[in-house]
Amino acid sequence: MPEPVTDRSVLAADLERARADFHTLLGLAGEDDWGKASAGTRWSNEQLLFHMLFGYMVVRRLLVLLRVLGRLPDGVGRGFAVVLNAATAPFDVINYYGSCWAARVYNRHRMGAKLDRVIGSLQRSLAHERYTEFQRGMHYPTRWDPYFADYMTLADIYAYPGRHYDHHRRQLTLTGTR
């Protein structure tokens, strides 16, 4: 059976879609929207927008992990995922408070430019990936994020942040988006 072919233009278009939408959201938000509670999270809209940006920042690190652990025996990656799953409780605390704190640094005035840099980096990386690498993968901690699967390929990692972004976008309570 032939290997599935990854259409890198689809992945690149999804990165660009989120980048453009993020800037639209930043432009739509009124002054009263930033501190308003989001729907279904403990974050404010500004903190949630940072968390959405953070999903793209994390992918850069996941790519490094995949390039290393994806070449090791399957048991190593599986064991790594088990350890990370066991650390879900502290991860959740760090994930929550980290986004609260980071939104003070990468606030509404800086997060658009940061996302541009991160997406630009991911676009360049994606453009230079060898097609043979798109099916390489590793195990991930499924308890950390609903969009992490037990085993994810390089193509899955590039697709992940758009799914994470869309999930959280629905939780924003910006006046101009409802």
Side-chain angles (χ1 to χ4, degrees):
M1 178 183 236
E3 292 286 325
V5 176
T6 299
D7 186 344
R8 96 176 60 222
S9 68
V10 171
L11 297 169
D14 192 53
L15 291 168
E16 178 55 28
R17 172 199 61 87
R19 189 198 68 74
D21 184 66
F22 193 82
H23 282 283
T24 298
L25 293 171
L26 292 175
L28 286 173
E31 197 56 41
D32 293 339
D33 285 329
W34 297 109
K36 192 186 313 180
S38 61
T41 79
R42 295 187 301 162
W43 287 309
S44 69
N45 283 320
E46 187 167 28
Q47 292 163 342
L48 183 56
L49 279 162
F50 171 79
H51 180 76
M52 292 161 65
L53 156 62
F54 188 64
Y56 289 90
M57 294 167 68
V58 164
V59 167
R60 294 189 331 183
R61 302 302 165 240
L62 293 177
L63 293 172
V64 172
L65 276 175
L66 187 139
R67 287 184 181 103
V68 173
L69 293 177
R71 286 179 165 70
L72 297 175
D74 188 63
V76 174
R78 189 179 303 278
F80 184 68
V82 166
V83 168
L84 293 179
N85 268 329
T88 298
F91 167 79
D92 288 343
V93 171
I94 292 166
N95 188 36
Y96 172 72
Y97 286 107
S99 288
C100 291
W101 176 82
R104 293 175 180 216
V105 176
Y106 290 108
N107 60 26
R108 68 194 91 157
H109 305 292
R110 298 183 65 209
M111 63 177 77
K114 178 65 174 177
L115 184 71
D116 288 343
R117 289 189 300 276
V118 171
I119 296 254
S121 171
L122 290 172
Q123 293 280 28
R124 287 186 298 279
S125 177
L126 176 62
H128 291 97
E129 298 288 359
R130 293 189 323 253
Y131 278 105
T132 56
E133 293 297 307
F134 280 107
Q135 296 311 308
R136 182 181 303 281
M138 65 174 273
H139 295 276
Y140 286 87
T142 56
R143 293 178 56 203
W144 282 31
D145 189 285
Y147 299 106
F148 279 176
D150 173 55
Y151 188 86
M152 296 174 69
T153 65
L154 182 69
D156 296 330
I157 293 302
Y158 277 109
Y160 159 77
R163 296 172 69 205
H164 176 264
Y165 178 92
D166 292 342
H167 172 89
H168 287 303
R169 189 191 192 287
R170 291 186 294 273
Q171 296 173 315
L172 292 169
T173 58
L174 305 175
T175 305
T177 60
R178 296 270 170 198

